[in-house]
Amino acid sequence: MYAPRKLAAAFLGTCPWRRYHRRHMGISVREALSKVHGSTKDIKIQGWVRSVRAQKEVLFLHLNDGSSLENLQVVAEPSLKNSAISFGSSVEVRGTLVNSVGKMQKVELKAEEIRVIGECDTKDFPFKIKEHHPPEYMRQFPHLRCRTNAFGSLLRIRSEATAAIHQYFRDNGYVHIHTPIITSNDCEGAGELFQVEASNRDTAPGGDGEFFGAPAFLTVSGQLHLEVMSGGLSKVFTFGPTFRAENSQSRRHLAEFYMVEAEVSFTENLEDIMQVMENLFKSATTSLLSKCPDDMNLFFKYVSLGQEGRLDRLITKKFIVMSYTEAIEILKKVTDSFKHKTEWGCDLQTEHEKYLVKHCGDVPVFVVNYPFDLKPFYTRDNEDSPRHTAAAVDLLVPGIGELFGGSLREERLPILQSRLETRGLADTYQWYLDLRKYGSVPHGGFGMGFERFLQCILGVDNIKDVIPFPRFPYSCLL
Ligand code: 4AD
């Protein structure tokens, strides 16, 4: 038997790539582009060909591996040209990284060897070199659209935004909680649930597909589970997938989306919660502008002209606050401009939300104290009259409308108990009542739709273009 080291030596001894395994350092395009001084020998880069230009005396390739928007220029002897090197093919290039003499790039890879890893049939490949593909076209190819500049940038921004949001909460003393995806509660009480059943009814416990012995659903919000945890850890957050069976084809609704939720104990003011929302929004946006300027610029240049200035306003201006009652007064003055009713007591529709933001000079607006009857059972009663309101808040932003929804939660046991009894929910939510029975504290929190956040800062019109695999009625590709 060979010892592992002997086995490796035996393999390398027969391997045609032996010298490369020993000598060439594999680096990403991003790393290569950041090396600006002198030349570095024995470099290996793997990626996809974005362009091929063969001249009489030199062959130029542009390589992208998804690590940056910018491609790496490869310069090679024409003898290295091979018909399999085409737009879309995957290659491995070995050579020396040198300062470029061209004006378009600082460094380039002088190739000694080009190996095609995977060929690409450019005739059938849905994306064509140097062609602009509209988002609706790209959406048909969720398995290939990450090869385009625009979607590559979006995915890097999405990844940075996720990190920035986690960083904000870490910096401010919040504990991250993994709230469950499968749950037995309908947090929002709106009945927009996907039910979870075992696909094999014969072998599942209970024999009727009801695996858990009771109806189970995909979560519509992690709020109630976060409330549990804020009852011991004070400041908590969750950031995960959320599911709603809303029959909507709108540009701001998905059946599966990501929600950022926070819950804060020992707070009696909606203003405290609103301050966290505003800080989170501004901190995540500022971080993206500094961490991925090239990717952000692609959106400012090609997707939403003028977006850079609009973003600047969102970061620097103090957000505006108005009550629901004031909002209705504003809307009633232009009631004919809307399809939906604008009476006190009606829910605000997207058209109303967008109007309110415009009315406030395109600065985000907090609308507070909504009619009590519009809000879910957990919202704190303001106990006012004749217009009965609850301590709820929505943050409305330009181009989108509602981005955050939050509230103070009803922490008073007798009030919550009687509300749940009236709705016939007291038995189901016994555990929720327990939270008020044992060391209850005033608390509140919010949820922010992550895709709507991306739409808002990048100026993307359709929510389906800011998530890798959009799910909506009649569409669950892949
Ligand atoms: O206003 P919502 O329904 O609030 C809640 O679910 C609270 N339980 C959150 C909390 O307090 N912890 O949803 C929060 C946000 C909305 O403001 C919106 O941005 C986004 O989630 N959202 C959606 N995003 C995409 N597609 C959908 N179908 C969405 N529904 C809500």
Side-chain angles (χ1 to χ4, degrees), residues 187-188 190 192 220-224 226-227 238 242-246 248 250-263 273 277 375-376 378 393-395 400-407 409 444-453 455 463 471:
C187 171
E188 293 304 290
E192 292 158 342
V220 294
S221 161
Q223 177 192 324
L224 303 187
L226 268 195
E227 280 192 63
T238 189
T242 313
F243 308 86
R244 297 203 181 169
E246 275 171 289
S248 171
S250 91
R251 290 163 185 272
R252 52 174 223 164
H253 287 92
L254 288 168
E256 177 183 273
F257 61 99
Y258 276 70
M259 209 200 289
V260 179
E261 297 182 82
E263 202 64 32
I273 303 298
M277 295 176 177
K375 290 296 163 185
Y378 54 71
V393 54
D394 280 355
L395 177 67
I400 307 291
E402 183 194 334
L403 173 63
F404 287 72
S407 69
R409 321 304 190 189
F446 62 80
M448 174 186 83
F450 183 52
E451 284 73 24
R452 289 194 192 176
F453 169 70
Q455 273 189 284
I463 197 166
R471 272 82 179 89

Side-chain angles (χ1 to χ4, degrees), residues 1-288:
M1 279 297 254
Y2 279 121
R5 202 181 291 163
K6 276 193 188 154
L7 194 66
F11 171 72
L12 287 176
T14 56
C15 174
W17 290 93
R18 182 178 175 211
R19 63 199 172 98
Y20 299 116
H21 278 290
R22 276 217 321 258
R23 287 175 44 212
H24 284 79
M25 183 173 61
I27 61 171
S28 68
V29 167
R30 187 190 183 86
E31 286 168 312
L33 293 170
S34 68
K35 289 188 190 293
V36 285
H37 299 297
S39 70
T40 317
K41 282 189 171 163
D42 300 334
I43 290 291
K44 177 176 79 180
I45 308 264
Q46 295 157 321
W48 291 269
V49 175
R50 284 292 172 81
S51 75
V52 192
R53 192 154 47 92
Q55 293 181 350
K56 219 168 168 193
E57 283 163 14
V58 62
L59 169 70
F60 289 108
L61 302 185
H62 283 106
L63 281 198
N64 193 288
D65 63 355
S67 59
S68 75
L69 174 62
E70 201 182 331
N71 301 321
L72 178 68
Q73 174 159 287
V74 174
V75 186
E77 297 276 325
S79 59
L80 294 183
K81 172 126 182 67
N82 162 348
S83 61
I85 302 173
S86 69
F87 173 63
S89 61
S90 52
V91 297
E92 178 175 294
V93 184
R94 292 160 190 260
T96 303
L97 205 58
V98 297
N99 287 343
S100 174
V101 285
K103 284 198 185 115
M104 303 294 281
Q105 61 281 315
K106 289 203 180 88
V107 290
E108 60 193 19
L109 185 63
K110 237 171 131 233
E112 285 145 21
E113 176 160 4
I114 303 175
R115 181 168 73 95
V116 175
I117 301 171
E119 295 183 25
C120 175
D121 180 342
T122 48
K123 263 209 328 271
D124 286 352
F125 190 50
F127 303 118
K128 303 296 170 209
I129 191 163
K130 294 210 170 123
E131 238 176 63
H132 171 72
H133 303 96
E136 310 79 61
Y137 175 79
M138 302 217 307
R139 239 176 265 151
Q140 299 170 60
F141 309 99
H143 55 308
L144 293 171
R145 65 177 173 167
C146 63
R147 302 276 189 89
T148 64
N149 279 345
F151 215 69
S153 285
L154 180 271
L155 292 172
R156 281 185 298 275
I157 292 170
R158 204 181 147 103
S159 169
E160 278 298 338
T162 304
I165 287 166
H166 275 268
Q167 195 59 46
Y168 170 83
F169 285 119
R170 283 177 74 85
D171 291 347
N172 288 281
Y174 286 74
V175 178
H176 179 222
I177 304 291
H178 290 112
T179 48
I181 287 172
I182 299 177
T183 175
S184 53
N185 76 61
D186 174 7
C187 171
E188 293 304 290
E192 292 158 342
L193 299 157
F194 286 105
Q195 190 148 352
V196 177
E197 289 182 357
S199 63
N200 190 341
R201 286 167 177 254
D202 298 336
T203 56
D208 56 359
E210 228 174 48
F211 186 92
F212 300 100
F217 312 96
L218 295 179
T219 186
V220 294
S221 161
Q223 177 192 324
L224 303 187
H225 300 97
L226 268 195
E227 280 192 63
V228 168
M229 298 307 175
S230 75
L233 295 166
S234 299
K235 297 206 300 187
V236 289
F237 79 103
T238 189
F239 184 173
T242 313
F243 308 86
R244 297 203 181 169
E246 275 171 289
N247 189 7
S248 171
Q249 290 279 0
S250 91
R251 290 163 185 272
R252 52 174 223 164
H253 287 92
L254 288 168
E256 177 183 273
F257 61 99
Y258 276 70
M259 209 200 289
V260 179
E261 297 182 82
E263 202 64 32
V264 185
S265 283
F266 305 105
T267 180
E268 293 177 23
N269 295 311
L270 212 44
E271 286 74 20
D272 294 345
I273 303 298
M274 286 148 57
Q275 194 60 58
V276 181
M277 295 176 177
E278 184 166 344
N279 292 348
L280 169 66
F281 179 92
K282 289 182 172 171
S283 147
T285 308
T286 311
S287 167
L288 285 178

